[in-house]
Every structure is written in C-alpha cells, then in structure tokens.
Amino acid sequence: MGDVLGWRKLLGVIAPSTNTVVQPDMERMRPEGVTNHFSRIYVEDPLALSNEDFIAGTTAIAENTLDAVRSVMTCKPDYLVLGMSAITFYGGVEGSRKWKKQVEDLSGTGASTGAESVAAALHAYGAKTVSFVSPYYPVANAEVRNFLEQSGFTVKRDIPLECKRWTDIAKVGPDRLREVMAELDGDDVDAIVQVGTNLSMVDLAAEYEAKLAKPVIAINTATYWHALRAVGIEDKIQGMGRLLAEF
C-alpha cells in the first residue's frame, strides 16, 4: 500500500532555516495526493553589509544543504524541490548542474533547482529578453545574469534589493515590489523574473502577468511547477499565474 495522503507523490522540500515563504507558497500549489515534506538547511541570520558578506552567507547555505537532504530522505520522498535560490545560479549553467548533481548523488533521487526551473519556465513561454529582481547584493545578481545569458536569454535590466538579513527578505512588501516592477518592465523585455525564494511574489507575479500581458515568473512558482512536471503530475492549478495554469 502506498502513502495514504501522498498517494501520488511525496516531495521533499529543502529551504534555509531562516526562510518563511517557501513552505506556505508551496503548500498552496500542492495538488491532491501530493504531499510536501519540509527540511530546513541550518543557517544563521547574519547582517550583510557588502558583496563579501552576502557571498559568505550563501556559502554557509551551500555547505549545510546536504545535511538537510539526508534528513528529509528518511521519509523516502519521490523527488526533491530545492527551495533555495542564489547558490543554484553560481558558476553558470555548468556550476548549477554540478550543484544539483551533488544533491542527486547523495539522495539517489531527482531534484529541481531554482535556476534550472526559471530557465525552463522562460523556455516554455518562449521568452528571449528578460529583466529580473532579487533580494541579493550585486555580486549575486551578476551570477544570475551569467546563468540566464548562458541559458540563451538576453538580460536587459536587474535590480538587487540588497536585503541586510535573510529574514529581512520576507519583509519586502508589495508596495516596494510594485516600484520594482515599474523599473523592470519595458518594451525591450518580454518576460520579468523574480529570484530569491524568501521574497514573497507569487501573487504579485500573477497579478502583473495579467496586467502587463507578458510572463512574470516567481521562482517559487517555477520551482514547484518544474518538480510537479518532472514527476508526471500534470494538474493545471489556477490562481497563481499562467505557468501552473497552462503549462
């Protein structure tokens, strides 16, 4: 007999211990018969005042990820959803693949990363030129830009919000993000992307996608969508943008 609640699939969801957005976001996207099993990457909530501080913080996340993977694998999930963002973009396409391989080699199962999921979503929409926002410092935005360009997209603009602490990311409200959207949009971009999994933008992305008549991709939506499709769950989920509803 299979799992009573997760009779279709069990998904292990990994995110930093400071992250308060991934878990509720992905619970909202969960179809019937699919269950999410959360495992937290232990990380402090350091004060970041520079590019160097930011890189040090994301390095700590990277170093502790495998322990969180070991923990969640004890419930025997069918697949992993990696709800951390910055480190999955580092080193371009090849760096992203190497990072994912570490996780898959340890777990013995497949995994969806934020970086590959964003690229897959953009390809699904047929987007070519993009702009993006992150809660990061410029050094990490440069890594995101590099990954996107290596994946075949032209990046026109990007905005690093330079959040000082990991927990501050979840405090960036819709008013600030509406200002950002106005800066990112333009006739020269055919898609807008948000990265940083603790930045709450699932609903705002869906709102602006309808308003602007162009793809607006929130990374948590993209990553969960990518995971569902990877394990053969094709349910169309309404209310959180075209990606889950149409693709």
Side-chain angles (χ1 to χ4, degrees):
M1 182 176 179
D3 191 276
V4 172
L5 298 181
W7 48 270
R8 295 170 78 187
K9 292 295 176 183
L10 305 179
L11 298 180
V13 182
I14 312 292
S17 56
T18 51
N19 190 303
T20 56
V21 170
V22 165
Q23 188 168 6
D25 269 0
M26 293 186 180
E27 275 300 296
R28 293 172 58 204
M29 302 173 197
R30 182 175 61 80
E32 183 181 3
V34 176
T35 52
N36 298 334
H37 305 281
F38 210 79
S39 185
R40 292 187 174 272
I41 305 161
Y42 178 80
V43 61
E44 298 288 347
D45 189 27
L47 182 64
L49 298 174
S50 66
N51 282 318
E52 292 74 20
D53 291 344
F54 189 89
I55 290 295
T58 55
T59 299
I61 292 174
E63 290 171 348
N64 294 336
T65 296
L66 296 184
D67 284 340
V69 171
R70 290 186 189 94
S71 178
V72 80
M73 289 311 298
T74 61
C75 76
K76 297 181 172 60
D78 298 293
Y79 195 79
L80 297 179
V81 190
L82 302 185
M84 78 288 291
S85 176
I87 58 176
T88 70
F89 289 96
Y90 289 2
V93 171
E94 186 58 28
S96 182
R97 286 174 180 160
K98 287 180 179 178
W99 168 250
K100 175 178 173 174
K101 187 175 186 300
Q102 287 185 72
V103 172
E104 291 185 332
D105 285 350
L106 174 65
S107 66
T109 190
S112 290
T113 69
E116 70 172 337
S117 299
V118 165
L122 287 168
H123 284 305
Y125 279 111
K128 300 296 183 184
T129 59
V130 305
S131 60
F132 71 90
V133 60
S134 84
Y136 309 152
Y137 273 70
V139 65
N141 267 33
E143 295 284 352
V144 177
R145 176 184 285 266
N146 180 49
F147 176 90
L148 291 173
E149 290 175 345
Q150 287 187 14
S151 299
F153 308 104
T154 299
V155 179
K156 294 293 187 177
R157 285 178 292 285
D158 68 275
I159 297 174
L161 295 176
E162 299 189 23
C163 293
K164 305 304 181 189
R165 294 184 184 277
W166 299 139
T167 52
D168 287 344
I169 297 171
K171 298 173 185 176
V172 178
D175 290 344
R176 175 65 182 117
L177 291 173
R178 290 180 194 282
E179 295 172 354
V180 167
M181 292 297 293
E183 295 178 54
L184 292 177
D185 190 30
D187 293 339
D188 58 342
V189 298
D190 49 32
I192 298 171
V193 172
Q194 169 260 318
V195 301
T197 62
N198 206 26
L199 189 62
S200 181
M201 204 166 147
V202 167
D203 291 331
L204 196 68
E207 174 191 330
Y208 269 82
E209 188 168 66
K211 178 180 177 179
L212 300 176
K214 67 178 63 174
V216 181
I217 299 169
I219 194 167
N220 288 345
T221 305
T223 309
Y224 201 78
W225 162 81
H226 189 274
L228 289 177
R229 302 303 180 250
V231 296
I233 303 292
E234 299 292 337
D235 299 41
K236 302 302 188 286
I237 300 164
Q238 304 298 319
M240 287 174 279
R242 290 180 55 207
L243 191 62
L244 280 168
E246 298 179 20
F247 295 93

